[in-house]
Structures are given as C-alpha cells and as structure tokens.
DNA sequence: TCTTTGCATGGGT
DNA sequence: AACCCATGCAAAG
C-alpha cells in the first residue's frame, strides 16, 4: 500500500505510464483544480504538445483542423485548449485559429478554470521579461501605460496582436497579492510594482503577460486556453466580467490559488472588487468635493473592473468579431459607450459623460475647467475636446465640451450611441458610434435566442446579430470601405483620410465604428417608467429584456395551465404572459382543434421530423415529443410515415405551400423548422407566403412588437387575408373566441360582484348601451360603428374578417384601455380605479361588455357545444 | 437678442 | 436614500 504522504511513492498520473514519480512535474489541470502529476517523460511529452499524440492515438475524438488538416485530439482534457470550435462546425487548431483571427472560445467547455494548464517554462521565461520590464518601467502617464504591457517586444513578431488582449484591472493585482499569500514573492513583487503604475486603470496585459505569472508551465506552444478564456471573458459576452478576468488570471496562478479560481469560475463576486470600487468611487462624496479623490490622484483604476461596475448601458457592446476586425496591429480596448441624449446631440456641444466612465477612463482632472482631451474619431480625425466637470450636488458632472463638430461629422443624433475605446499601444482614445437605426451587435448567445424572432423597437437593440459587414463599418462618409479596412491601418483603409489631421505616430487600426443599433426610443426608458412590479422584475438591461422576453415568449408556448385552471393574461411590456394560479405544466406545444366530426383532438409536432400527429385531446406531451412516442397511433409512430392528411389538418395548415390553391403536400410541413413553423403557418393561413408573412407588417397593436405571436399580432394587416367564418376553427379564431370567452366570463363575474356591492338597485335595470339618455358620443366612445358592425355580424351569424377579428380584440381594448384581451380583468380593475363620479361611464361599460359578451359567448358556446369547449393553441391559450 | 456658460433641479436608477 | 444625469434656466458675454 502506498503512502499518500510520500511523494516518492506516487506514480505518474498518466495511466498509460504509471511510472513512479521521483520528481513530479505538473501536467494539465484536473477538474479538481489540482494538476496532474506527471513523470519527467510524460511531462515533457505534454509540454511538447504531444501527449495525446503519444498516449491517446487510439482513443476516439481525433479530428482534423479545418484549415491545416492537422489532427487534433478533441476528446480529452489534455488537449482541449489546442483547438477552437468553428462556428460552421469542425475545429481548427489554435495555430490556424490565430492566423485567421477566429478565436471563439470553445463554448461548450466546462469552466476553464478547472482545466487550465499552466505555461511552459519557456513562455514563462519570456513573459517574465515583460514583467521585469513592467517592474522597471516606473510611473507612466496613463495613456502610455498600456504600451508597456503590450509592447511589441513582448510578443512574437509573427503573431499579430490578438483581440483577446484585455485590460487587467489592477484590482486583480491586489487581489492576487492579498488573497494569494503563497504566491511566490517574485510574482508578488511584480504585481505590486505594476499595481501602482497603472494610472487610470490602463494597464493592459496581454494574455501571455498574464500567463507569465503562472508558475507551472506545460502548455503547448501558443495554444493557450487562457487566451480563449480571456477573450470569452472580456468580450464575447458583450461585457467584461471581472469575475471572468479574475478567473483567467488567477487560473494561471499556482495551485494555491485554486480556491479563488473556483470562486471566480462560479461568478462569485469578489469582495475585493467592491471594496476597491467603493474606495474609488466615493471620491466625490462628502468631504471630497473640492479635492481629488483617490482616483484623481492617479490611483489605479482598472478598466475591466470598472467596466464591470459601469451601468450596463454604458458597457461597451463591442463584440469579439468587432474586436477581431478592428484590431489589426493594435488592440482596441472598449471603454464605454453612451447613447446621445438630446442635450448631447444638441447644439450646445456638451456631451455629458457618465461619471464613472469619465473617472475611470479619462485623465483625472482637479479643476472644473478640466483639460483638453484628444480623441480620434472613426475617420482618423483627431478632435480636441475640453474634458471638464461641473460641481454638482457634492459630486461632479463630467462633460466633454466642443463635441458638436465631431457629432455632426459623424452625423449623429440623439439616440445614436457613441463609443469610447482606447487603441493600444498608443493609448489613444477613439470615438466610434453606432447609429440608432441599424442593428446592434449581439453576442452569440443572444443570437440563438433571437434568431427566429422578429423583434423591433427599443427593446430590439440586441436582437440581431450583426453580420460581419455590419459589425464594423465606416461612417457614412466612408462608404466603400465598410469592411475591408478594418484590419488595416486607417491610412491604408481610407486613403482619403490621409489628409485628415493625424497624430504623427498614428498607425491605429480601424476604429470601432459600429454601425449598430441603438435604442430607437431614445429616452423612452426614462419616460416609460410606469411599470408594475412584475415589469420591474423583468426589467433588466434592454438587451437582456429582449432575451428574457423572447425566452418568455418561447417558454410560454411550453407552459400550459394545469387541468381545470383558467389562466389569466397579463401583458408586460407588450408581451403576454398567462398567469396560472397553480404551477403550470410544461409540455409540448400542440394545436388543439376539433376534427370534422366534432371530436376534440390535438395536433402535435414531432421533435425530429416536424410532422404533425394527431393525438388525443387530453394527452399531455413531454416537451420533447417524437413520433416514436405516438402510442395512440402506432401506424404513425415512425418519422418515416407520412403525415396524416386530414381535412382538419389541411384546414389548420392550408397555406404552407406558396400556392394555397394547390393540394397540400402532406409533408410540406417539413419545410418549416420546428414549432415556430406553427406560428408562421398561422400567419400563412391568412394568405401570405412564409416569406411575406415574416416580412409583412402585422396588424399593429400599439403595445405589441413585431414578432409578437399574440392573437392580435399574428394577423395580417387589416383588410388582408380571407374572411373567417363563424365556424372557422383556425388558430386565430379559436384563440380569439377562447380568450374572449375567458375575458368576458371573468369580467362578468367581477362586475357582478362589484355591482352587487355598489349598485344593487341599478343592476340590470339599465342597459345604457341602448339608453337614449346617454349622450351618443359617450356611447360611441364605447361602441363605435365597427363594433356595432361586428356585433351585428356576430348576431347574424355572418362571417367576419380579419378586420373584425382585430376589432374584437382592439375594440375591447379601446374601452379606455380597461378591457384588453391581453389583460387580466382583475388587474385592470386594480389599475383603473373608477371614481364614483364616473358612474354613467362605468355602467355603460359594464352594459356593453355584457352585451358583447352575451353575443359572443352565446355564439361561442353554441360552437363549443359542437366543437368542444376547450381549445388551446400551443399551450398559450385560455381555457374557457 | 442670441449664444455660451455654469449651475440647479428633479426624475430615474 | 443617495446618487446620477438630462435638461432647464439664468447670468454672462
């Protein structure tokens, strides 16, 4: 039995070796956080990057680099960092990935902190020189500081500067030095040295620099997982997460730091961070109104850390793609961005700067007059603004003065976004912009969420992923150079700009002039703030809201009310949410319908083949349901079996083919992808082709966004589409009827209760909707001609059109906004208290509702008697 | 009278 | 409740 305490009796971690470990050497980092102890031979093999080649040649998981064809072992922990997953599939070795600048981290990997191998000694040695350089550099002006850390001497001449290079906030330094007491003193000293010299937080560490602090070394050449991690951490998520950075940095630390590593990997906030920030940002409060705070005295300010602390709206949303294309021979550090207010974009020429941003990224100023600040715009022009502040409530309000010419030259207006970045190694401030009218960048994560959704308006900001050509662009005056110049120096990229005033040593790359979307509703966020608590719960940053909304929209399709529950509908920022009084059931969305003999059925779509299968009405399907689970119809329990062609199905999905008149191909549903197809089909049903339907504006509902799949929004524009018959069982009609029923029933119940309390005598004694005592205009305000027309149609059993359907919904909503098909009556009541003086209106309203309800419900009940009293669509619907 | 400048205010976070 | 910041506004030029 071996003794665990005796290292001499341990064996090599490589199970194919098992040599005794006389002098254990560190290998890869294991999931436990410890390093694999290897024998000399295995360690050397590992450090040479040939471990898998040597020991795992027969293992599975070998793949070829898409570029060079080199075989990479993708199947084990040892070499997971030596390749990247390509967006289009396949993998690419890190060498090729570097060449092509596509450095998307392997997204599916576990927290990198668990696997980070440390650096080979040769890299460590190389980087140590940089640390010495840093240590010897002495105090530097803030904008020069970065160059010290990204000097060309620190990198291989063959390797382009990578966009993953990130600012290492000096807070990290302190963290490391204070929280990792066991770190070697040398490293500690270096960190401390550098800590005090990173004025304004402009310390910029290349990945190799960071890695240089790693004590252990065994990574293969430039294949560095930290590189990916850093990139991922800092940019791909559209925000710089200090925890990520901390993770990456700490991961390079010796084993002793593992605890921290794990903590960072788990996004556990670091107390140090807040402490630092608390110090840094308390400068203007209280006693520090006149003098300089720590910040102003040139104390370190960390970009990443600060960035993480910035309000989300100021965090630069530059994407990794943008960075990749921007970088060229320089590195752009996104600092912050700001949407131009009316004041900013006005003629006053003052751009109010977010305080924290100004203090973090701009030179410290002690006098209100401030100092000139040179900023380069996207054309390469240098502008000199006056960076100053106003004393304000014991604080400061930072402004850039004289920005009008620049703003105008960029053709910016209120709502557009200006971005501030810093080009390294020059340390030059650059000012980019995004026009509000163009789609913004989106991180890959959001793309998947939003890809199938049509979204717009202010919440739309992050909805669409920017295509490469859109990611970076030149301003309008640089048309023609929109994409190609981005990896070129500006001078080359745009010769026309060579005449522009330039800095002598200007060799910066393209500036981050993202033509990205801003929030079109400039200050609606500020103004439209009357939100219920529910909204507040959802109201995060705009782009997150969108994600959330879409997620909710999608999720809602998977939620069903529990049996025998009638869900209410509440609209939160234009998105309908069904409310259940009990936990919803998550199931597969289906189409509830009735077949031609009145039997209630469901149509469920196979997860795999997308064919629609008929299942019993009361079947509750799992969220992932496939034909194989179609136990009700064994003949159709295989995806290979054609979709059942029935009259009901054809009626439900009549127009999935361009030529609606042609007989439906039973498998044509397969042309549509997933359950989104169902919603599309509902639209197509109205007569448009899929393409058209996705692009044609839907019937507008003021509180709904394009992409909203609610009953109102999925209709074609008014006047278009076929008429709906009274007996129509299409999705829209079913939903309308069902929702209306629910609404009316609940409304009636509520009103009855209230009336019983307030107007016991008047109850049913007046029916003011037909009362001649009520001024007609008041009546008209509740029962307009359209409503009457609709009412008549319903009474007479006439067919009603899409317009009618719209009116069913919108007209009810038109009741002073108190009746909304998307609203929950009770909620409306709460939100719209009715004063007693409004008795007439109220009675009229009640009467009309009852009137409308009578017509509608009677009709609906009649139909339901034959069609079934319960219809649902995609789990969205109400049960009446 | 118009523009610029500096500060105050108050809604929003 | 404190702070931020968009904007109003009065004084100065």
């Amino acid at each position: 039995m071996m003794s665990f305490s005796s290292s001499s009796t341990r064996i090599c971690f490589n199970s194919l070796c098992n040599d005794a470990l006389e002098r254990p050497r560190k290998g890869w980092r294991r999931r436990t956080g410890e390093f694999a102890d290897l024998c000399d031979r295995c360690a050397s093999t590992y450090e040479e990057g040939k471990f898998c080649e040597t020991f795992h040649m027969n293992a599975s998981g070998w793949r070829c680099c898409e570029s060079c064809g080199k075989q990479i072992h993708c199947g084990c922990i040892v070499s997971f960092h030596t390749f990247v997953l390509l967006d289009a599939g396949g993998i690419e070795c890190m060498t090729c990935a570097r060449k092509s600048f596509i450095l998307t981290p392997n997204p599916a990997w576990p927290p990198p902190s668990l696997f980070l191998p440390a650096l080979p000694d040769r890299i460590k040695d190389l980087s140590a020189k940089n640390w010495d350089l840093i240590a010897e550099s002495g105090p530097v002006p803030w904008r020069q500081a970065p160059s010290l850390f990204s000097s060309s001497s620190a990198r291989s001449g063959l390797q382009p500067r990578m966009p993953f290079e990130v600012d290492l906030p000096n807070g990290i330094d302190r963290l490391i030095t204070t929280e990792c007491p066991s770190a070697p003193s040398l490293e500690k000293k270096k960190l401390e040295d550098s800590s005090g010299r990173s004025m304004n937080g402009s310390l910029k560490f290349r990945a190799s620099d960071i890695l240089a602090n790693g004590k252990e070394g065994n990574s293969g050449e430039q294949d560095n997982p930290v590189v990916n991690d850093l990139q991922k951490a800092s940019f791909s998520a559209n925000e710089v997460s200090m925890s990520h950075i901390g993770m990456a940095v700490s991961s390079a630390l010796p084993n002793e730091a593992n605890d921290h590593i794990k903590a960072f990997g788990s996004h556990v906030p670091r107390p140090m961070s807040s402490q630092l920030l608390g110090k840094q940002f308390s400068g203007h409060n209280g006693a520090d109104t006149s003098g300089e705070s720590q910040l102003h005295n040139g104390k370190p300010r960390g970009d990443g850390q600060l960035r993480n602390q910035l309000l989300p709206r100021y965090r630069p949303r530059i994407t990794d793609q943008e960075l990749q294309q921007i970088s060229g021979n320089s590195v752009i550090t996104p600092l912050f961005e700001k949407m131009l207010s009316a004041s900013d974009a006005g003629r006053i020429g003052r751009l109010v700067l977010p305080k924290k941003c100004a203090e973090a990224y701009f030179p410290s100023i002690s006098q209100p007059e401030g100092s000139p600040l040179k900023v380069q715009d996207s054309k390469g022009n240098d502008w000199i603004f006056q960076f100053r502040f106003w004393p304000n409530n014991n604080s400061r309000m930072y402004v850039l003065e004289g920005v009008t010419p620049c703003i105008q030259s960029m053709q910016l207006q209120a709502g557009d976004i200006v971005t501030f970045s810093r080009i390294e190694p020059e340390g030059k401030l650059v000012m980019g912009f995004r026009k509000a009218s163009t789609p913004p960048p989106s991180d890959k994560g959001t793309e998947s969420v939003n890809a199938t959704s049509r979204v717009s308006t202010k919440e739309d900001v992050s909805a669409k992923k920017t295509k490469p050509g859109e990611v970076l662009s030149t301003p309008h005056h640089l048309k023609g150079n929109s994409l190609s110049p981005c990896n070129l120096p500006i001078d080359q990229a745009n010769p026309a700009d060579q005449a522009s005033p330039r800095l002598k040593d200007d060799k910066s790359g393209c500036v981050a002039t993202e033509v990205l979307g801003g929030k079109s509703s400039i200050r609606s966020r500020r103004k439209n703030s009357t939100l219920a608590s529910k909204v507040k719960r959802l109201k995060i940053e705009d782009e997150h809201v969108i994600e959330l909304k879409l997620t909710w929209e999608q999720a809602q399709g998977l939620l069903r009310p529990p049996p025998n529950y009638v869900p209410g509908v509440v609209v939160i920022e234009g998105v309908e949410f069904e409310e259940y009084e009990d936990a919803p059931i998550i199931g597969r969305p289906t189409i509830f319908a009735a077949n031609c003999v009145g039997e209630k059925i469901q149509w469920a779509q196979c997860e795999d083949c997308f064919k629609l299968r008929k299942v019993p009405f009361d079947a509750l399907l799992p969220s992932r349901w496939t034909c194989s689970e179609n136990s009700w119809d064994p003949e159709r329990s295989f995806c290979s079996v054609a979709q059942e062609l029935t009259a009901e199905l054809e009626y439900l999905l009549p127009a999935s083919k361009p030529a609606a008149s042609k007989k439906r191909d039973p498998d044509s549903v397969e042309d549509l992808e997933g359950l989104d197809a169902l919603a599309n089909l509902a639209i197509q049903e109205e007569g448009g082709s899929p393409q058209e339907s996705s692009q044609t504006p839907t019937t507008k509902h003021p509180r709904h966004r394009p992409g909203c799949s609610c009953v109102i929004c999925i209709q074609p524009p008014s006047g278009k589409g076929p008429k709906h018959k009274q007996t129509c069982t299409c999705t829209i009609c079913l939903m309308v009827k069902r929702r209306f029923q629910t609404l009316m029933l609940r409304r009636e119940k509520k009103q009855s209760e209230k009336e019983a309390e307030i107007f016991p005598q008047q109850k049913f004694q007046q029916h003011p909707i037909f009362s001649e005592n009520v001024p007609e205009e008041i009546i008209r305000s509740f029962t307009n001609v359209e409503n009457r027309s609709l009412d008549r149609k319903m009474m007479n059993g006439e067919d009603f059109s899409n317009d009618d359907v719209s009116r069913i919904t919108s007209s009810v909503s038109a009741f002073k906004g108190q009746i909304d098909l998307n609203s929950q009556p009770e909620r409306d009541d709460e939100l719209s208290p009715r004063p007693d003086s409004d008795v007439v209106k109220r009675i009229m309203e009640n009467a009309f509702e009852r009137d409308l309800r009578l017509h509608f419900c009677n009709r609906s009940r009649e139909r339901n008697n034959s069609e079934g009293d319960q219809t649902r669509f995609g789990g969205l619907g109400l049960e009446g």
Side-chain angles (χ1 to χ4, degrees), chain A residues 98 126-127 130-131 146 148-156 159-162 164-168 203-213 226-227 230 331:
Chain A
R98 286 196 166 208
L126 175 66
S127 301
N130 298 335
W131 282 102
L148 292 174
F149 302 95
S150 53
S151 62
S152 56
S153 64
R155 71 180 69 237
S156 159
Q159 293 176 7
R161 184 181 286 275
M162 295 311 221
F164 49 73
E165 294 170 343
V166 295
D167 292 358
L168 179 66
L203 265 183
K204 179 171 286 294
F205 292 76
R206 295 193 307 114
S208 57
D209 296 327
I210 296 168
L211 286 168
N213 291 292
V226 176
V227 161
L230 285 172
V331 174

Side-chain angles (χ1 to χ4, degrees), chain A residues 595-596 599-604 611-616 625 630 632-633 636 644 646 648-649:
Chain A
N595 61 19
C596 46
E599 184 186 3
K600 293 179 285 187
I601 59 168
Q602 286 183 78
W603 289 100
K611 291 190 179 72
L612 289 170
R613 304 297 189 194
K614 192 194 292 185
V615 300
W625 183 85
N630 185 12
W632 303 277
D633 188 357
R636 294 183 180 82
E644 184 177 9
T646 68
E648 311 95 75
L649 181 54

Side-chain angles (χ1 to χ4, degrees), chain A residues 761-791:
Chain A
Q761 285 84 21
Q762 293 179 336
K763 191 174 185 180
F764 296 115
Q765 290 178 359
Q766 299 180 35
H767 202 235
I769 193 161
F770 298 123
S771 168
E772 296 180 2
N773 297 328
V774 180
E776 187 178 354
E777 59 270 20
I778 300 180
I779 294 177
R780 198 161 35 226
S781 69
F782 296 107
T783 62
N784 57 34
V785 176
E786 292 177 342
N787 287 335
R788 289 177 174 175
S789 166
L790 175 63
D791 206 38

Side-chain angles (χ1 to χ4, degrees), chain A residues 358-377:
Chain A
E359 292 181 343
Y361 303 122
F362 289 177
S364 62
I365 49 178
S366 56
Q367 299 301 317
E369 294 74 26
S371 62
L373 185 65
K374 184 151 61 178
V375 179
Q376 191 179 72
D377 72 6

